[in-house]
Amino acid sequence: MRMTLRAALLLGAMVGTVTLPIEEAHALEKGKGKTESQKSKALPVIQKGKGKAAAQKDKVESVARTNSSRSSRSKGKVEPIAGKDKALSPTRHGMAAPLAHKDKSGVRVTAKSARVARIGKYASPEASGGLTHSFQKKNLTRVLAGHVDLWQDPGRLAVQSGSALVIAQDSGEPLYEKNANAIVPVASITKLMTAMVVLDSMPNLQSPITISDEDVDYLRGSRSRLGVGSVITRETALLLALMSSENRAANALGRHYPGGLPAFVAAMNRKAASLGMSSSHFEDPTGLNSNNVSTAHDLARMVAAAHHYPLIREFSTTPGVRTEVKGRELDFHNTNQLVSSPTWEIGLSKTGYIQEAGKCLVMQARVADKPVVIVLLDSAGKQTRIGDANRIKRWMESASVTGKLPTRV
């Protein structure tokens, strides 16, 4: 009995020993399974995060490829940036968009501002959404607004010359005047008085006169193609003095006057007085002397008087001539370009210039079917006096079309 009990105890111990490892093994396996289960449970999370990272990486790479593709396409399209025709290379700079750079003025320009600058300067209206068109329209409107000729309003006339006068030749009524009583140097407008005094003496126009050293301009050094010793007729000298404002020809005419140059200058001042030119004074026949002075009102009287001389009308409006001087044929041209204009009907013309007088122009012309005398003195620039004459003409023509007489200003 005892033996049986001991055997049973021994067998139970052996069984317990075996069972314990099995249970431990089962527990361990169960724990391992749980750990692996947790691990496997956590694994999708990690893989999911890895998938997001991969997706982000793919997205970045896709964006990079897109930018690279855009850059490659833009590389084939040349757009001037800051004066350069070459686009920035994305492989060189590592970026598709250009970095901030400097334009020609040295100002830093970002890619965005550079693009805006290109749109404003180069892009078509379609490409820039009409931006260029609006810029151009705005600028055009501003230009037109700033340059509308004021002659469209008969009461307003923008004349740039320092002194100006427009009178109706038939009535003598002033239509426009600006500083018309200012006493100013008149330069070669003087030669109209010279021509009248010469013709009043009724000389032989075909008689020869000689250009001498006394006729050379040592005061201002003006040039002349009538060399000392040249022999021309008095008629040719008168033509060149009026048409081309030849100083040596004008001085020679005065010097060959009976009694010489002093008598001639005295005759000029007597003629001025007889015409009622009370504010005028002459000291030489050329106008090179700045002491030859007058007013716009006085010069309008002189122009009206000179218009009565057929030769002065003809010679002062001749566009050009070819004449022989010392065995050579030389071309001379009129100093007033308007005499060749088909839009002008000019009956008498004379220009003048010395530094003290500025650019000067006097004319008798038919404007809007009315004979007028135009006097423009002290103009600055080569074309100011011509521009003023054209403005006056349009002003009068506009008033004629609207049926309104030009308002005296």
Side-chain angles (χ1 to χ4, degrees):
M1 184 67 181
R2 185 180 291 179
M3 290 296 290
T4 304
L5 183 59
R6 288 179 67 182
L9 290 172
L10 181 60
L11 180 61
M14 291 176 65
V15 171
T17 304
V18 173
T19 304
L20 182 61
I22 290 174
E23 289 177 354
E24 289 178 354
H26 279 292
L28 183 61
E29 191 70 27
K30 186 178 180 181
K32 183 179 179 182
K34 188 176 181 181
T35 303
E36 288 181 355
S37 175
Q38 291 175 349
K39 185 177 180 181
S40 63
K41 207 172 196 179
L43 183 61
V45 177
I46 297 173
Q47 289 176 345
K48 187 176 180 181
K50 185 178 179 182
K52 284 185 179 179
Q56 290 176 352
K57 183 178 180 181
D58 291 341
K59 187 175 181 181
V60 171
E61 290 177 353
S62 174
V63 172
R65 283 195 299 271
T66 302
N67 290 341
S68 178
S69 174
R70 288 178 181 173
S71 178
S72 298
R73 287 196 301 271
S74 66
K75 186 177 180 180
K77 183 179 180 182
V78 178
E79 292 186 61
I81 301 176
K84 293 185 179 181
D85 295 332
K86 197 171 183 180
L88 295 177
S89 170
T91 58
R92 179 179 176 183
H93 295 274
M95 296 183 65
L99 298 173
H101 59 280
K102 291 186 179 182
D103 63 5
K104 286 183 176 180
S105 63
V107 178
R108 290 186 66 82
V109 181
T110 63
K112 183 177 180 181
S113 62
R115 183 167 63 254
V116 172
R118 289 199 300 274
I119 290 175
K121 188 173 183 181
Y122 299 105
S124 64
E126 294 79 13
S128 60
L131 183 62
T132 302
H133 177 70
S134 64
F135 282 168
Q136 291 175 347
K137 185 176 181 180
K138 184 177 180 182
N139 291 338
L140 180 61
T141 303
R142 183 162 58 248
V143 169
L144 290 177
H147 291 80
V148 170
D149 284 323
L150 297 178
W151 53 264
Q152 292 179 351
D153 179 358
R156 300 175 64 194
L157 174 60
V159 170
Q160 304 302 315
S161 300
S163 297
L165 179 65
V166 182
I167 66 169
Q169 188 177 3
D170 49 3
S171 65
E173 178 187 4
L175 303 177
Y176 175 89
E177 54 184 306
K178 174 184 177 181
N179 299 326
N181 291 313
I183 301 175
V184 294
V186 295
S188 287
I189 305 301
T190 297
K191 293 183 175 74
L192 286 178
M193 181 61 76
T194 298
M196 285 192 288
V197 171
V198 167
L199 292 174
D200 285 348
S201 67
M202 302 184 67
N204 181 356
L205 295 178
Q206 301 307 315
S207 63
I209 59 176
T210 304
I211 304 297
S212 74
D213 188 66
E214 296 178 58
D215 303 318
V216 176
D217 173 23
Y218 291 109
L219 176 63
R220 301 180 184 275
S222 60
R223 295 184 301 173
S224 173
R225 289 185 294 166
L226 298 178
V228 174
S230 298
V231 178
I232 56 177
T233 65
R234 186 177 272 108
E235 183 181 60
T236 299
L238 188 62
L239 170 63
L240 297 182
L242 291 172
M243 181 189 71
S244 297
S245 207
E246 249 295 341
N247 292 314
R248 293 183 184 181
N251 200 76
L253 285 170
R255 195 168 48 80
H256 284 82
Y257 185 82
L261 202 54
F264 187 81
V265 171
M268 292 175 71
N269 286 300
R270 284 197 304 271
K271 181 73 173 180
S274 69
L275 295 176
M277 300 171 63
S278 58
S279 299
S280 302
H281 176 75
F282 298 97
E283 292 190 5
D284 86 311
T286 65
L288 291 171
N289 192 323
S290 61
N291 290 328
N292 285 15
V293 295
S294 187
T295 67
H297 273 294
D298 277 6
L299 292 183
R301 292 174 178 269
M302 186 175 74
V303 170
H307 189 255
H308 291 292
Y309 294 73
L311 274 183
I312 295 179
R313 295 199 304 267
E314 178 187 346
F315 288 173
S316 69
T317 57
T318 300
V321 296
R322 175 172 294 177
T323 186
E324 184 176 325
V325 178
K326 283 190 171 183
R328 295 175 54 197
E329 289 190 345
L330 300 176
D331 291 331
F332 293 85
H333 302 280
N334 202 302
T335 54
N336 181 9
Q337 65 196 58
L338 294 180
V339 300
S340 300
S341 173
T343 63
W344 276 91
E345 186 179 347
I346 299 174
L348 181 146
S349 166
K350 190 69 196 77
T351 64
Y353 171 75
I354 57 173
Q355 186 175 1
E356 295 89 338
K359 301 283 185 177
C360 304
L361 172 65
V362 298
M363 293 191 299
Q364 186 282 337
R366 193 168 188 84
V367 180
D369 292 327
K370 299 182 183 296
V372 295
V373 172
I374 300 172
V375 179
L376 300 168
L377 306 175
D378 192 20
S379 298
K382 293 182 179 180
Q383 296 299 318
T384 302
R385 57 187 174 183
I386 300 299
D388 280 348
N390 284 324
R391 280 185 280 273
I392 290 169
K393 181 174 181 289
R394 293 193 297 263
W395 173 64
M396 292 190 62
E397 289 171 345
S398 177
S400 177
V401 169
T402 58
K404 299 178 181 179
L405 290 177
T407 305
R408 179 176 177 177
V409 181

